[in-house]
Amino acid sequence: LLMVPVTLAIAEELEVPPFPFLFAEVFAANIGGTATLIGDPPNILIGTATGLDFNDFIINVAPVTVPVMAVQAAMVHLIWGRELRASPESRVLVMGMNAPGLINDWVLLRRSAVVMIAVLVALVFARPLPLQAATIALSGAAVLMLLDNWKHRGARQAENVRSTFADVDWATIFF
């Protein structure tokens, strides 16, 4: 969902239809989600019911997603490739966009990257550490929320927490 506004903005700048890109993103997210234990809710259910861990999914399922992703990319190209021609002027405009300038909080970005790496490492070593994937993921989310709110105080902090909780897809988590 976070990529959709970026995709629409770039497609508009390139003067090409956004649908092929949105289609590719949706399918890539679904295909990629099948590669790990925590990628999709059904994977969590399957992993829990069968005793499979994060590494089992990476070893057995992730390799299959690579050719599937390649087929999906080829299909998008075959179906819409001719429609996705941008003018050289439009390309120059997009290539000249200041992506780093759009990042509002570099400190939080760096901290988030560290937390994500820690979560992935913990997921890889979950079995020897006797931790559940859900515990690791929720701990990472809690640490990120704490880091995001560390600099705020009072009403601003409370509003930030409310906003974060409003963005969470609780139905999926409880599923």
Side-chain angles (χ1 to χ4, degrees), residues 71-143:
V71 168
Q72 183 261 343
M75 294 300 295
V76 168
H77 179 72
L78 289 172
I79 294 170
W80 291 293
R82 287 182 294 279
E83 296 177 34
L84 303 177
R85 302 279 185 243
S87 70
E89 298 82 20
S90 297
R91 290 181 188 180
V92 168
L93 286 173
V94 169
M95 295 308 290
M97 289 181 171
N98 181 13
L102 298 174
I103 297 172
N104 297 327
D105 192 341
W106 280 95
V107 173
L108 182 60
L109 177 66
R110 287 185 193 100
R111 289 176 179 172
S112 298
V114 169
V115 171
M116 285 298 301
I117 291 167
V119 166
L120 288 174
V121 169
L123 286 167
V124 168
F125 293 105
R127 190 168 279 170
L129 296 173
L131 294 172
Q132 295 293 321
T135 304
I136 295 167
L138 288 174
S139 297
V143 168

Side-chain angles (χ1 to χ4, degrees), residues 14-173:
L14 290 174
E15 298 173 352
V16 295
F19 178 76
F21 298 103
L22 297 173
F23 180 88
E25 286 176 12
V26 167
F27 272 81
N30 283 321
I31 293 166
T34 62
T36 67
L37 175 67
I38 59 169
D40 286 327
N43 292 11
I44 296 170
L45 294 173
I46 292 166
T48 303
T50 60
L52 297 173
D53 67 3
F54 186 79
N55 296 336
D56 295 327
F57 267 82
I58 292 290
I59 291 166
N60 296 298
V61 183
V64 175
T65 63
V66 174
V68 172
M69 190 74 78
V71 168
Q72 183 261 343
M75 294 300 295
V76 168
H77 179 72
L78 289 172
I79 294 170
W80 291 293
R82 287 182 294 279
E83 296 177 34
L84 303 177
R85 302 279 185 243
S87 70
E89 298 82 20
S90 297
R91 290 181 188 180
V92 168
L93 286 173
V94 169
M95 295 308 290
M97 289 181 171
N98 181 13
L102 298 174
I103 297 172
N104 297 327
D105 192 341
W106 280 95
V107 173
L108 182 60
L109 177 66
R110 287 185 193 100
R111 289 176 179 172
S112 298
V114 169
V115 171
M116 285 298 301
I117 291 167
V119 166
L120 288 174
V121 169
L123 286 167
V124 168
F125 293 105
R127 190 168 279 170
L129 296 173
L131 294 172
Q132 295 293 321
T135 304
I136 295 167
L138 288 174
S139 297
V143 168
L144 283 174
M145 190 184 308
L146 176 68
L147 291 174
D148 187 32
N149 283 296
W150 195 268
K151 62 185 172 223
H152 304 297
R153 297 286 179 256
R156 171 79 170 115
Q157 190 177 53
E159 179 54 37
N160 205 22
V161 170
R162 270 193 288 281
S163 173
T164 300
F165 280 137
D167 289 340
V168 172
D169 185 0
W170 292 107
T172 301
I173 287 176

